Amino acid sequence: MDKLLLKGLLFLVRLFAVGGIDSDRLQIILETKLLMDRRRPRANYSRQKNKEPKNPLLITLALYSFFGLMMALLIAFTSSLILSMILFHAYLLFMMSMTLITDFSSVLLDTTDNDVITPRPVNSRTVFLARLLHVLVYLLQFTIALGIFPLIAVFITYGLTAGFMAIFTILLTVGLAVFITYLLYILILRFGNEQKVKDIIAYFQIFMTLLFTAGYQLVPRLIDYDALVRTFSLHWYSYWLPPVWMAVSIEAFREFDFDGTHLLMILLAFTVPVVTFWLMIKYLAPSFARKLAIIQNSHQQTTTGKARQQHGRSISAIFSKWLCRSGSEKAGFEFVWKITGRDKGFKMQFYPGLGYILIFAFIIVFKSGKDIHTTMATMPQSELFLWLIYLPVFMVSSSIRIINTSENYQAAWLYYSAPIKFPGSILSGALKALLTKFFMPVFLIMFAFALFIWGPAIVDDFIFGFFNNLIIFLLIQVFSDHFLPFSQQQNIKVQSGRFAMVILQFAVIALLVGLHYLALKINWLVAGLVLPAATAQYFLIKKIASYRWKDMKI
């Protein structure tokens, strides 16, 4: 798709003979940029797979087209033009904004043109136009992927006039999304630094991954399908919503209705995006470029300043003192605690899974389809709290596998050069860090919610479940290959026999959860099993800490 768009744009450049532009060099620069785009891993691609796709961008566009197909079906089955167009333009504005914030950052924050192209015999007008056309190709690709199927649905359902008007409103909505993106970046840079921009972008990427992979579970349960056939009525706040402007404008031209309300909406729909686009070109884009250049020039000073911070003891140091015994175990605890807070690869793989806890809890609690008041009233008579006890470990257990790999795995030579007799102590410290940082907060939230619903009667269940969770977490490590934290390459091949290990892990988990369920039938048995469970997890952590080098995978 990008090649066709590039040929069309270059044809227009040559057709209008833009002065001072070297078209041959312009084409080479753009082809190189687009080739890099095709090879760059996308925000929603999982790094844990063994083989990366040849064109991650194409896969992303195909995924967006699939979401567009779902929106097209919604348009086709919604009887109200205004309501369907509001939903479509809200979807387009949201998706484009999120996409630009996550993937577009590599384009906006890319200043390599200044270092690589500018010193070459290429004039500034050619460099500027190459950057502009690169952005335009990028936007057109995602606009087509997101809007092609909904646009076809509009043509078929509401006719030619509505379809051609939708083309204009789609472009205007994309322009608003670009303005929102620039505005957000400038606000972040105004009150932060380049690293904060990258951190926020990383969290947006995590949010997008969670949204794409889990949205199909929640959206069907939240949509009121009866409301889709109702007509939409304007309220005072409708005049502040761009999707409403676009929808009413389409209706005005389709119905040829140009009363005061429709004219005002048309005025807002066509003037606000144009004005914001002019503001972006005139003020926001130059301001963003200057701010980014200043930050990059002062990057070394910022790094030096950060090195002078850190006077007090960190949270990880406090917890490691309480929970770890040996020095190597403390080192493993603090190392994993800090790296999991900094490494983008770990966050991208682990945080979406952590977010599934709330989604699965929602599905489990409201799977009956009853309204929230009925569900909450009948919940104390059920045993749903068992799900709340064991959901956290199902989600957090994936961190054991994720911390094995890193982009900087070559630095693992430090492990083998250190005078450590029992490397298992590093592993036990790492597991304690994962449990303390990720499992405990979620488990306490689940406990607070269950205590509110079921009362003090479930306290012993959560205490027993806590030690059961620790046993499950530690057994997963015992049954898995023993790698030191962040010591393996990300695309490492899957070892033979791993499937059998996974089956064994699930068998142990099912056994312990089933034991808890059966123990509920006898009042005193749950409390009586707490001490054996605590003893078992104690010996498991001791076993892991006693691993020697012969027990480790290198």
Side-chain angles (χ1 to χ4, degrees), residues 149-211:
F149 289 118
L151 189 60
I152 293 173
V154 174
F155 272 106
I156 295 174
T157 307
Y158 298 108
L160 294 177
T161 304
F164 285 116
M165 277 300 302
I167 295 176
F168 289 104
T169 56
I170 286 173
L171 297 177
L172 294 172
T173 302
V174 171
L176 279 175
V178 176
F179 173 77
I180 292 171
T181 305
Y182 262 103
L183 189 62
L184 177 63
Y185 280 144
I186 288 176
L187 289 175
I188 295 172
L189 289 176
R190 174 66 179 82
F191 299 103
N193 52 32
E194 186 181 8
Q195 184 59 43
K196 184 171 289 187
V197 174
K198 294 179 179 178
D199 291 341
I200 292 175
I201 291 170
Y203 285 114
F204 269 112
Q205 292 172 339
I206 294 167
F207 171 75
M208 287 290 285
T209 304
L210 179 60
L211 176 70

Side-chain angles (χ1 to χ4, degrees), residues 427-479:
L427 197 55
S428 64
L431 296 177
K432 289 180 179 180
L434 295 174
L435 288 168
T436 305
K437 187 174 184 180
F438 300 115
F439 170 75
M440 281 303 300
V442 178
F443 188 80
L444 291 175
I445 292 173
M446 295 295 182
F447 172 69
F449 177 76
L451 190 63
F452 174 76
I453 298 297
W454 283 272
I458 50 86
V459 171
D460 58 342
D461 289 288
F462 266 81
I463 294 175
F464 177 55
F466 172 75
F467 290 112
N468 259 3
N469 279 325
L470 297 187
I471 292 172
I472 292 170
F473 192 79
L474 297 175
L475 283 177
I476 290 175
Q477 177 60 73
V478 170
F479 292 145

Side-chain angles (χ1 to χ4, degrees), residues 57-267:
L57 177 60
L58 184 61
I59 295 177
T60 302
L61 293 175
L63 179 64
Y64 281 25
S65 298
F66 174 76
F67 288 124
L69 180 60
M70 297 299 101
M71 179 55 62
L73 294 175
L74 184 65
I75 292 173
F77 288 102
T78 304
S79 59
S80 171
L81 170 64
I82 290 185
L83 182 58
S84 63
M85 290 300 96
I86 289 175
L87 292 174
F88 168 56
H89 287 88
Y91 147 83
L92 183 64
L93 182 62
F94 174 78
M95 291 294 292
M96 281 300 300
S97 298
M98 291 296 99
T99 300
L100 293 174
I101 290 171
T102 54
D103 277 344
F104 198 53
S105 59
S106 62
V107 178
L108 284 181
L109 301 178
D110 183 19
T111 57
T112 54
D113 291 354
N114 300 331
D115 301 326
V116 177
I117 301 177
T118 304
R120 271 48 177 189
V122 182
N123 60 60
S124 58
R125 291 174 64 88
T126 302
V127 175
F128 174 78
L129 186 59
R131 188 175 181 86
L132 182 63
L133 293 180
H134 179 214
V135 171
L136 188 57
V137 170
Y138 192 96
L139 290 175
L140 288 175
Q141 288 183 92
F142 281 92
T143 301
I144 293 172
L146 290 169
I148 185 63
F149 289 118
L151 189 60
I152 293 173
V154 174
F155 272 106
I156 295 174
T157 307
Y158 298 108
L160 294 177
T161 304
F164 285 116
M165 277 300 302
I167 295 176
F168 289 104
T169 56
I170 286 173
L171 297 177
L172 294 172
T173 302
V174 171
L176 279 175
V178 176
F179 173 77
I180 292 171
T181 305
Y182 262 103
L183 189 62
L184 177 63
Y185 280 144
I186 288 176
L187 289 175
I188 295 172
L189 289 176
R190 174 66 179 82
F191 299 103
N193 52 32
E194 186 181 8
Q195 184 59 43
K196 184 171 289 187
V197 174
K198 294 179 179 178
D199 291 341
I200 292 175
I201 291 170
Y203 285 114
F204 269 112
Q205 292 172 339
I206 294 167
F207 171 75
M208 287 290 285
T209 304
L210 179 60
L211 176 70
F212 287 163
T213 53
Y216 75 96
Q217 286 284 353
L218 292 183
V219 171
R221 291 173 168 83
L222 297 177
I223 290 179
D224 182 4
Y225 292 97
D226 294 334
L228 294 180
V229 299
R230 300 172 191 167
T231 57
F232 176 80
S233 57
L234 290 174
H235 300 279
W236 63 268
Y237 54 81
S238 302
Y239 296 91
W240 295 91
L241 303 176
V244 179
W245 309 341
M246 308 302 175
V248 176
S249 298
I250 293 174
E251 184 194 49
F253 283 91
R254 181 176 182 266
E255 304 294 337
F256 208 71
D257 185 0
F258 297 100
D259 58 12
T261 301
H262 286 83
L263 287 175
L264 179 58
M265 290 294 185
I266 293 172
L267 181 66

